[in-house]
Amino acid sequence: VKYLRNSWYCAGWSHEIDERPKGIRMLDEYLVIYRGKDHQAIAMTGRCTHRFAPLDQGVVIDDDIICPYHGLRYGADGVCKHNPHGDGFIPPRAKLNTYVVAEHNTALWVWMGDAEAADRTLLPPETALVSAEYSSVRMALKLPVNYQLIIDNLLDLTHAPYLHSSTLANTEGMSIADIPQPGFEFKAEGDTLKSHYHFDVMPPSPLLAPYFTDPVGEFNAEMAWQPASTLSLDVRMDPLAGGQSEFIDMPSVHYLTPETADSTHYFTAISRNRDIHSTDADEHMRMLASKAFLEEDEPMISRCQELMGGNPDIFEMGAVMLRTDVAGVQARRLLKKKIEAESGTQELQDAG
Ligand code: FES
Ligand SMILES: [Fe+2]
């Protein structure tokens, strides 16, 4: 078993979902998502029961979706309610799975497991995305790598000064042997695991520099993960005693949704509490963040995955562990435990 099913997975940003059906593969299953007549989001199996046509090419009428191939019409409950070819006969197996959805933190979430177990309290915390004090840019990326390798990447930001020297870090031109290391602390709060990084004195990175005018400040970054694959990062720069700059807060979210075993939807958004009405500043933030994720992280993680021979299990691979891997390692263990517990329950149900 590869995935935790009883968990919320982000399927996109709420404002990007409308009455036009959208197809998305999540956890190896193809879904169709659209908004019905009251604007509520509907998620169901995305291929027709008849000849497996992609329903995202179909047409939505009220809450129903009509298959683009031979016209079977399904209701929001996934049940076929009209067959244009059968004198009113509806094949009993013409029924699609439907999924529980939630709109939260400006994103759409799909519960891929047992509908009865869907629990809104397990949604990740709300962030600056819902605050009028912040300006945010939202991105929907896709990375051709296993989601667990991206969780490893995000929970171990010691890679930033090496890999992101001219974007998220401030180490451009520095010799790789001289890169300074932050103070590091691991925290666990229930199932939420956190990596905290701290510099007493640090020049701002290119991402922070437009808003932080002092040459140096105090830097804190805290990445938090919660099962199965949602993360949030709080980055802030505070002025030192006597500094002129105001503090800058730049939180981001990193919602990972496995598409298949080796590709991942990466819904990410980054916010800032300075210069919040500037579209130039939005573009600067978007440009640096997408450069970091797509031109720096992605090629590195892809090469690692290739050199791992396609096995994303770092324990089976005998990976060396460092002190700063504690959050990533614990996240892997916790996720594995939850997946095993879930498939154990499933086997019991199947046996009974
Ligand atoms: S494939 Fe959908 S009606 Fe035939
Ligand atoms: Fe990175």
Side-chain angles (χ1 to χ4, degrees):
V1 186
K2 289 178 281 209
Y3 311 115
L4 185 66
R5 298 202 61 89
N6 285 314
S7 188
W8 294 104
Y9 291 92
C10 183
W13 298 109
S14 286
H15 74 275
E16 288 172 345
I17 314 274
D18 56 25
E19 67 291 344
R20 290 167 301 184
K22 167 185 157 153
I24 180 170
R25 192 178 302 279
M26 300 171 56
L27 281 54
D28 285 320
E29 288 181 37
Y30 197 66
L31 307 193
V32 64
I33 297 175
Y34 58 91
R35 290 194 188 278
K37 59 178 184 299
D38 296 324
H39 206 62
Q40 85 283 15
I42 295 165
M44 61 177 82
T45 306
R47 54 177 214 189
C48 182
T49 57
H50 174 228
R51 287 297 176 273
F52 312 110
L55 290 173
D56 51 293
Q57 290 178 25
V59 171
V60 169
I61 296 180
D62 295 334
D63 288 346
D64 304 345
I65 187 158
I66 301 182
C67 177
Y69 201 3
H70 317 91
L72 286 185
R73 177 170 180 155
Y74 300 91
D77 58 359
V79 179
C80 178
K81 56 201 276 194
H82 181 65
N83 163 16
H85 316 287
D87 296 329
F89 173 70
I90 307 241
R93 288 193 299 114
K95 188 178 177 316
L96 304 164
N97 284 331
T98 57
Y99 296 88
V100 179
V101 299
E103 312 253 4
H104 176 74
N105 208 30
T106 75
L108 183 79
W109 301 85
V110 179
W111 182 267
M112 295 293 288
D114 176 9
E116 311 257 284
D119 180 354
R120 284 192 66 100
T121 66
L122 297 178
L123 285 161
E126 277 194 342
T127 68
L129 286 173
V130 295
S131 165
E133 318 275 297
Y134 288 76
S135 182
S136 304
V137 295
R138 294 171 179 77
M139 290 172 269
L141 312 175
K142 189 143 81 175
L143 269 48
V145 294
N146 180 273
Y147 73 107
Q148 301 222 42
L149 298 181
I150 311 178
I151 299 175
D152 292 343
N153 167 280
L154 291 166
L155 279 176
D156 179 9
L157 295 183
T158 61
H159 77 272
Y162 296 93
L163 202 54
H164 303 303
S165 59
S166 66
T167 50
L168 312 181
N170 56 358
T171 42
E172 195 168 29
M174 208 177 266
S175 157
I176 190 167
D178 296 334
I179 284 175
Q181 296 309 314
F184 172 79
E185 200 188 345
F186 166 70
K187 299 176 192 167
E189 288 160 17
D191 284 353
T192 301
L193 306 180
K194 298 179 174 180
S195 289
H196 187 106
Y197 308 87
H198 175 85
F199 278 108
D200 285 333
V201 180
M202 193 189 96
S205 65
L207 194 58
L208 299 167
Y211 323 102
F212 196 84
T213 46
D214 294 350
V216 290
E218 178 187 344
F219 175 85
N220 279 283
E222 184 166 271
M223 182 69 87
W225 167 87
Q226 74 176 80
S229 48
T230 64
L231 298 105
S232 61
L233 170 65
D234 263 313
V235 169
R236 60 179 286 155
M237 277 293 269
D238 286 278
L240 303 179
Q244 298 299 306
S245 230
E246 281 190 88
F247 91 93
I248 154 92
D249 188 23
M250 197 173 269
S252 55
V253 298
H254 307 262
Y255 297 149
L256 309 175
T257 300
E259 178 183 49
T260 65
D262 51 22
S263 62
T264 304
H265 300 284
Y266 187 177
F267 299 103
T268 181
I270 179 162
S271 311
R272 64 174 191 281
N273 69 334
R274 292 277 159 260
D275 216 355
I276 63 169
H277 300 296
S278 163
T279 49
D280 285 351
D282 290 348
E283 280 320 301
H284 178 257
M285 220 164 56
R286 183 191 300 278
M287 187 272 291
L288 283 179
S290 61
K291 182 174 177 216
F293 303 148
L294 294 178
E295 296 174 30
E296 295 169 348
D297 286 314
E298 178 192 314
M300 180 58 79
I301 304 171
S302 293
R303 285 287 281 145
C304 294
Q305 175 169 276
E306 181 199 331
L307 295 176
M308 291 168 83
N311 181 359
D313 189 325
I314 54 173
F315 304 120
E316 286 176 11
M317 293 291 296
V320 163
M321 301 301 173
L322 308 179
R323 184 180 68 93
T324 41
D325 289 323
V326 54
V329 165
Q330 300 237 9
R332 288 240 184 197
R333 289 210 180 110
L334 181 56
L335 189 53
K336 193 163 185 225
K337 205 171 87 186
K338 285 182 177 292
I339 291 173
E340 281 168 4
E342 196 175 270
S343 55
T345 322
Q346 195 53 49
E347 273 156 29
L348 283 177
Q349 280 172 2
D350 290 349

